[in-house]
Amino acid sequence: MDIETEIRQLKLRADALEATVRTGDPTLSPLRPRRRRRRHPRSQPGDPHTDTRTQVKCLQAELNQDFSALNDEIESFRRHTTDQLTKIRVQTHDQYALILRRLTDMAILLDVLLNQADP
């Protein structure tokens, strides 16, 4: 489905953005393996690296919530669509059965009329 494809593309884009933020260099391809990080002394409060990490974690949490809500909406849409299709199938089957009964009745009536016409 188109919605599932869009979700996959959004997840890939989010992963690419996350990888770009991790490396700090937007020109690097997000598909390259990450380089080993150097160990730095503990960051002080207010350090820009700590703030950036916090922002990335907040964005990740927001994205996860958004994807979760989107998955719930898609599941609800699927259930609704399945219910509607089931109703339509039942109605179509009932109409087909009604038409078939009427045609059978007409065939019987036609046979009776033809038999009456042949004395």
Coordinates of all heavy atoms in Angstrom, one line a residue, residues 12-55:
L12 N 13.2 5.6 7.1 CA 14.5 5.7 6.6 C 15.1 7.1 6.6 O 16.3 7.3 6.9 CB 14.5 5.2 5.1 CG 14.3 3.7 4.9 CD1 14.2 3.3 3.4 CD2 15.5 2.9 5.5
R13 N 14.2 8.1 6.3 CA 14.7 9.4 6.4 C 15.1 9.8 7.8 O 16.0 10.5 8.1 CB 13.6 10.4 5.9 CG 13.5 10.3 4.3 CD 12.4 11.1 3.8 NE 12.4 12.5 4.2 CZ 11.4 13.3 4.1 NH1 10.3 12.9 3.6 NH2 11.5 14.5 4.5
A14 N 14.3 9.4 8.8 CA 14.5 9.6 10.2 C 15.9 9.0 10.6 O 16.7 9.6 11.3 CB 13.4 9.2 11.1
D15 N 16.1 7.8 10.2 CA 17.4 7.1 10.5 C 18.5 7.8 9.9 O 19.6 8.0 10.5 CB 17.3 5.6 10.0 CG 16.4 4.8 10.8 OD1 16.0 5.2 12.0 OD2 16.0 3.7 10.3
A16 N 18.4 8.3 8.6 CA 19.4 9.0 8.0 C 19.7 10.3 8.7 O 20.9 10.7 8.9 CB 19.0 9.3 6.5
L17 N 18.7 11.0 9.1 CA 18.9 12.3 9.8 C 19.6 12.0 11.2 O 20.5 12.8 11.5 CB 17.5 13.0 10.1 CG 17.5 14.3 10.9 CD1 18.3 15.3 10.2 CD2 16.1 14.7 11.2
E18 N 19.1 11.0 11.8 CA 19.8 10.6 13.1 C 21.2 10.3 12.9 O 22.1 10.7 13.7 CB 19.0 9.4 13.7 CG 19.5 9.0 15.1 CD 18.6 7.9 15.6 OE1 17.4 7.9 15.4 OE2 19.2 6.9 16.1
A19 N 21.6 9.6 11.9 CA 23.0 9.2 11.6 C 23.8 10.5 11.3 O 24.9 10.6 11.7 CB 23.0 8.2 10.5
T20 N 23.2 11.4 10.6 CA 23.9 12.6 10.2 C 24.1 13.5 11.5 O 25.2 14.0 11.6 CB 23.0 13.5 9.2 OG1 22.8 12.6 8.1 CG2 23.8 14.7 8.8
V21 N 23.1 13.5 12.3 CA 23.3 14.3 13.6 C 24.4 13.6 14.5 O 25.2 14.3 15.1 CB 22.0 14.4 14.3 CG1 22.2 14.9 15.7 CG2 21.0 15.2 13.6
R22 N 24.4 12.3 14.5 CA 25.4 11.6 15.3 C 26.8 11.9 14.8 O 27.7 12.1 15.6 CB 25.2 10.1 15.2 CG 24.3 9.6 16.2 CD 24.3 8.1 16.3 NE 22.9 7.6 16.1 CZ 22.5 6.7 15.3 NH1 23.4 6.0 14.6 NH2 21.3 6.3 15.2
T23 N 27.0 11.9 13.5 CA 28.4 12.1 13.0 C 28.7 13.6 13.0 O 29.9 14.0 13.1 CB 28.5 11.7 11.5 OG1 27.6 12.4 10.7 CG2 28.3 10.2 11.4
G24 N 27.7 14.5 13.0 CA 28.0 15.9 13.1 C 28.4 16.5 11.7 O 28.6 17.7 11.6
D25 N 28.5 15.7 10.7 CA 28.9 16.2 9.4 C 27.8 15.8 8.4 O 27.7 14.6 8.0 CB 30.2 15.5 9.0 CG 30.8 16.1 7.7 OD1 30.2 17.0 7.1 OD2 31.9 15.6 7.3
P26 N 27.1 16.8 7.9 CA 26.0 16.5 7.0 C 26.4 16.0 5.6 O 25.6 15.5 4.9 CB 25.2 17.8 6.9 CG 26.2 18.9 7.3 CD 27.1 18.2 8.2
T27 N 27.7 16.2 5.3 CA 28.2 15.7 4.0 C 28.4 14.2 3.9 O 28.5 13.7 2.9 CB 29.4 16.5 3.6 OG1 30.5 16.2 4.5 CG2 29.2 18.0 3.5
L28 N 28.6 13.6 5.1 CA 28.8 12.2 5.2 C 27.6 11.4 4.9 O 26.5 11.8 5.3 CB 29.4 11.8 6.6 CG 30.8 12.3 6.9 CD1 31.1 11.9 8.3 CD2 31.8 11.8 6.0
S29 N 27.7 10.3 4.2 CA 26.6 9.5 3.9 C 26.1 8.8 5.2 O 26.9 8.3 5.9 CB 27.0 8.4 2.9 OG 25.9 7.5 2.8
P30 N 24.8 8.8 5.5 CA 24.4 8.1 6.7 C 24.5 6.6 6.6 O 24.3 5.9 7.6 CB 22.9 8.5 6.7 CG 22.5 9.0 5.4 CD 23.8 9.5 4.7
L31 N 24.8 6.1 5.4 CA 24.9 4.6 5.3 C 26.3 4.1 5.6 O 26.6 3.0 5.7 CB 24.5 4.2 3.9 CG 23.1 4.6 3.5 CD1 22.9 4.2 2.0 CD2 22.1 3.9 4.4
R32 N 27.3 5.1 5.7 CA 28.6 4.7 6.1 C 28.7 4.2 7.5 O 27.9 4.7 8.4 CB 29.6 5.8 5.9 CG 29.9 6.2 4.5 CD 30.9 7.3 4.4 NE 31.0 7.7 3.0 CZ 31.7 8.8 2.7 NH1 32.3 9.5 3.6 NH2 31.8 9.1 1.4
P33 N 29.6 3.3 7.9 CA 29.6 2.8 9.3 C 30.1 4.0 10.1 O 30.9 4.8 9.7 CB 30.6 1.7 9.2 CG 31.3 1.7 7.9 CD 30.5 2.5 7.0
R34 N 29.7 4.0 11.4 CA 30.1 5.1 12.3 C 31.5 4.8 12.7 O 32.0 3.7 12.9 CB 29.2 5.0 13.5 CG 27.8 5.5 13.3 CD 26.9 5.5 14.4 NE 27.6 5.8 15.7 CZ 27.1 5.6 16.9 NH1 25.9 5.1 17.0 NH2 27.7 5.9 18.0
R35 N 32.2 5.9 12.9 CA 33.6 5.9 13.4 C 33.5 5.7 14.9 O 32.6 6.1 15.6 CB 34.4 7.1 13.0 CG 34.6 7.2 11.5 CD 35.4 8.4 11.2 NE 35.6 8.6 9.8 CZ 36.2 9.6 9.2 NH1 36.7 10.5 10.0 NH2 36.4 9.6 8.0
R36 N 34.6 5.2 15.4 CA 34.6 5.0 16.9 C 34.8 6.4 17.5 O 35.6 7.2 17.1 CB 35.8 4.1 17.2 CG 35.8 3.6 18.5 CD 36.9 2.6 18.7 NE 36.8 1.9 19.9 CZ 37.7 1.1 20.4 NH1 38.7 0.8 19.7 NH2 37.5 0.6 21.6
R37 N 34.0 6.6 18.5 CA 34.1 7.9 19.2 C 35.2 8.0 20.1 O 35.6 7.0 20.8 CB 32.8 8.1 20.0 CG 31.6 8.3 19.2 CD 30.5 8.7 20.1 NE 29.3 9.0 19.3 CZ 28.1 9.3 19.9 NH1 27.9 9.3 21.2 NH2 27.1 9.6 19.1
R38 N 35.8 9.2 20.2 CA 36.8 9.4 21.2 C 36.2 9.6 22.6 O 35.1 10.2 22.7 CB 37.6 10.6 20.8 CG 38.4 10.5 19.5 CD 39.2 11.8 19.3 NE 39.6 11.8 17.9 CZ 39.9 12.9 17.3 NH1 40.0 14.1 18.0 NH2 40.3 12.9 16.1
R39 N 36.9 9.2 23.5 CA 36.3 9.4 24.9 C 36.7 10.8 25.4 O 37.9 11.2 25.3 CB 36.9 8.4 25.9 CG 36.4 7.0 25.5 CD 36.3 6.2 26.7 NE 35.8 4.9 26.3 CZ 34.8 4.3 27.0 NH1 34.3 4.9 28.0 NH2 34.4 3.2 26.6
H40 N 35.7 11.5 25.7 CA 35.9 12.9 26.2 C 35.6 12.9 27.7 O 34.9 12.1 28.2 CB 35.0 13.9 25.5 CG 35.3 14.0 24.1 ND1 36.3 14.7 23.6 CD2 34.6 13.6 23.0 CE1 36.3 14.7 22.3 NE2 35.3 14.0 21.9
P41 N 36.2 13.8 28.4 CA 35.9 14.0 29.8 C 34.4 14.3 29.9 O 33.8 14.8 29.0 CB 36.8 15.1 30.3 CG 37.3 15.8 29.1 CD 37.2 14.8 28.0
R42 N 33.8 14.0 31.1 CA 32.4 14.3 31.3 C 32.0 15.7 30.9 O 32.7 16.6 31.2 CB 32.0 14.0 32.7 CG 31.9 12.6 33.0 CD 30.7 12.4 34.0 NE 30.5 11.1 34.3 CZ 29.5 10.4 33.7 NH1 28.7 11.0 32.9 NH2 29.3 9.1 34.0
S43 N 30.9 15.8 30.2 CA 30.4 17.1 29.8 C 29.9 17.9 31.0 O 29.3 17.3 31.9 CB 29.3 16.9 28.7 OG 29.8 16.2 27.7
Q44 N 30.1 19.1 30.9 CA 29.6 20.0 31.9 C 28.2 20.4 31.6 O 27.8 20.4 30.4 CB 30.5 21.3 32.0 CG 31.9 21.0 32.4 CD 32.0 20.4 33.8 OE1 31.3 20.7 34.7 NE2 33.0 19.5 33.9
P45 N 27.3 20.7 32.5 CA 26.0 21.2 32.2 C 26.0 22.4 31.3 O 26.9 23.3 31.5 CB 25.4 21.6 33.6 CG 26.2 20.8 34.6 CD 27.6 20.7 34.0
G46 N 25.1 22.5 30.4 CA 25.1 23.6 29.4 C 26.1 23.4 28.2 O 26.2 24.2 27.4
D47 N 26.7 22.2 28.2 CA 27.6 21.9 27.1 C 26.8 21.7 25.8 O 25.8 21.0 25.9 CB 28.4 20.6 27.5 CG 29.4 20.3 26.4 OD1 29.9 21.2 25.7 OD2 29.8 19.1 26.3
P48 N 27.2 22.3 24.7 CA 26.4 22.1 23.5 C 26.2 20.7 23.0 O 25.2 20.3 22.5 CB 27.2 22.9 22.4 CG 28.4 23.5 23.1 CD 28.4 23.1 24.5
H49 N 27.2 19.8 23.3 CA 27.1 18.4 22.9 C 25.9 17.7 23.7 O 25.2 17.0 23.2 CB 28.4 17.6 23.1 CG 29.5 18.1 22.2 ND1 29.4 17.9 20.8 CD2 30.6 18.8 22.5 CE1 30.5 18.5 20.3 NE2 31.3 19.0 21.3
T50 N 25.9 18.1 25.0 CA 24.8 17.5 25.8 C 23.5 18.0 25.4 O 22.5 17.2 25.3 CB 25.1 17.8 27.3 OG1 26.4 17.4 27.7 CG2 24.1 17.2 28.2
D51 N 23.4 19.3 25.1 CA 22.1 19.9 24.6 C 21.7 19.2 23.3 O 20.5 18.9 23.1 CB 22.3 21.4 24.4 CG 22.5 22.1 25.7 OD1 22.1 21.5 26.8 OD2 23.0 23.3 25.7
T52 N 22.6 19.0 22.4 CA 22.3 18.4 21.1 C 21.8 17.0 21.3 O 20.8 16.5 20.7 CB 23.5 18.4 20.2 OG1 24.0 19.7 20.0 CG2 23.2 17.8 18.8
R53 N 22.5 16.2 22.2 CA 22.0 14.8 22.5 C 20.6 14.8 23.1 O 19.8 14.0 22.7 CB 23.0 14.2 23.4 CG 24.3 13.8 22.8 CD 25.2 13.0 23.7 NE 26.6 13.0 23.2 CZ 27.6 13.5 23.9 NH1 27.4 14.0 25.1 NH2 28.8 13.5 23.4
T54 N 20.4 15.7 24.0 CA 19.1 15.8 24.6 C 18.0 16.2 23.5 O 16.9 15.6 23.5 CB 19.1 16.9 25.7 OG1 20.1 16.6 26.6 CG2 17.7 17.0 26.4
Q55 N 18.3 17.1 22.6 CA 17.4 17.4 21.6 C 17.1 16.2 20.7 O 16.0 16.0 20.3 CB 17.9 18.6 20.8 CG 17.9 19.9 21.5 CD 18.5 21.0 20.7 OE1 19.2 20.8 19.7 NE2 18.4 22.3 21.2

